[in-house]
Amino acid sequence: MIEGQCLCGAVHYRYHAPIEHSVLCYCQHCQRAQGSLMGWNSAIDKSKFELTRGIKYLKEYFHSPSKARVFCQECGSPIYSYRTDMPENIRLRLGTVTAGQVPKPTQELFKQHKPDFIHIHDE
């Protein structure tokens, strides 16, 4: 089982399955949304994801008509995103995981926006 929370602790969740894959995304949308060099996330089965505390603190921002980014409105921590055309999946932001195993990234997306000073050991 995976557990996680936002920075301020208002939102807590559990994922009742192992996380099988993780990706690093260097697209400019992830960079802006995370306030970082990249996003680190995993597509997971929505039916196995449980918000255990703080659903009232979640806020959705529709970046496009079909993609929402969901974050804690108290501290701003990104929790997950989803697409309305793929309702069975969400993309969990792995920086919010506090317990459980998260696999190392197996894929890098939008590498044309990857800063030159980042080197992944498997490259």
Side-chain angles (χ1 to χ4, degrees):
M1 178 172 29
I2 302 294
E3 294 181 323
Q5 70 176 64
C6 65
L7 178 63
C8 71
V11 177
H12 285 244
Y13 64 81
R14 284 191 187 118
Y15 183 57
H16 299 277
I19 292 181
E20 297 177 11
H21 305 285
S22 74
V23 301
L24 298 176
C25 183
Y26 301 100
C27 80
Q28 293 176 332
H29 297 164
C30 281
Q31 290 174 351
R32 289 183 193 117
Q34 309 306 309
S36 184
L37 300 170
M38 70 194 88
W40 183 33
N41 59 68
S42 179
I44 62 172
D45 182 345
K46 183 180 177 182
S47 69
K48 297 175 183 174
F49 181 78
E50 173 190 14
L51 287 164
T52 58
R53 183 170 35 171
I55 192 168
K56 70 181 182 178
Y57 294 104
L58 290 179
K59 176 83 173 160
E60 294 183 351
Y61 166 68
F62 274 86
H63 177 67
S64 67
S66 65
K67 183 175 182 180
R69 295 179 180 271
V70 182
F71 59 94
C72 173
Q73 63 184 336
E74 289 294 304
C75 65
S77 292
I79 307 296
Y80 64 90
S81 65
Y82 70 90
R83 291 176 43 162
T84 58
D85 59 340
M86 298 173 67
E88 67 282 354
N89 292 318
I90 63 175
R91 286 203 163 273
L92 183 63
R93 301 305 183 241
L94 297 176
T96 63
V97 172
T98 58
Q101 296 295 316
V102 177
K104 71 177 186 173
T106 57
Q107 190 176 16
E108 294 179 279
L109 306 175
F110 296 94
K111 287 175 81 171
Q112 68 270 28
H113 300 294
K114 179 179 176 180
D116 292 339
F117 59 85
I118 294 179
H119 302 282
I120 305 299
H121 295 292
D122 293 340
E123 289 182 3

